[in-house]
Amino acid sequence: MASSMLLKVTCLAMICLVLGIPLANAAPSCPAVAQTLTPCLPHVSNPGPSPPQPCCNRVKTLNSQAKTTQDRHHVCGCLKSLMAGIPGLNLPAFASVAKDCGVDIGYIISPNTDCSKIN
């Protein structure tokens, strides 16, 4: 009887783990993208010679979270939405943050970027 209950609990735990995998690997939400890039706000509003290291660390983190093409489409859309909502945004500075941090995201961040064409 006890081993039957243990087997059921183990099976239930395994099902939960398997069902949770897609959620754990999902692209970050747009609010999470915005929160992640908060250290970049001073630079994209009033650019200096290079983005601060905390900004670059976050850009690298975000890039590593966008593992699939669908993830990259989603993050691109979030970045485009962010551009519209940051008062005093310096578009060239925003567009070059990833490159200036040594991160190749595979596209240029711009209001005109077609996120559906990103690989």
Side-chain angles (χ1 to χ4, degrees):
M1 176 88 160
S3 65
S4 175
M5 180 60 93
L6 179 61
L7 180 62
K8 288 177 184 176
V9 169
T10 302
C11 287
L12 180 60
M14 292 301 291
I15 290 169
C16 290
L17 285 172
V18 169
L19 292 176
I21 288 171
L23 296 175
N25 292 330
S29 66
C30 286
V33 169
Q35 181 66 31
T36 298
L37 296 178
T38 299
C40 300
L41 284 176
H43 178 74
V44 299
S45 297
N46 187 18
S50 62
Q53 193 58 47
C55 170
C56 289
N57 292 342
R58 297 291 187 91
V59 168
K60 291 172 186 171
T61 297
L62 183 59
N63 188 55
S64 70
Q65 292 173 340
K67 296 179 189 317
T68 67
T69 299
Q70 185 177 356
D71 292 349
R72 289 185 288 278
H73 290 184
H74 174 74
V75 170
C76 173
C78 294
L79 294 172
K80 286 178 66 170
S81 295
L82 279 173
M83 282 189 272
I86 299 175
L89 174 69
N90 180 304
L91 281 174
F94 191 88
S96 69
V97 164
K99 180 183 172 200
D100 293 344
C101 289
V103 178
D104 180 11
I105 60 172
Y107 59 94
I108 296 172
I109 303 167
S110 158
N112 301 320
T113 300
D114 183 352
C115 296
S116 69
K117 295 188 178 184
I118 294 169
N119 293 322

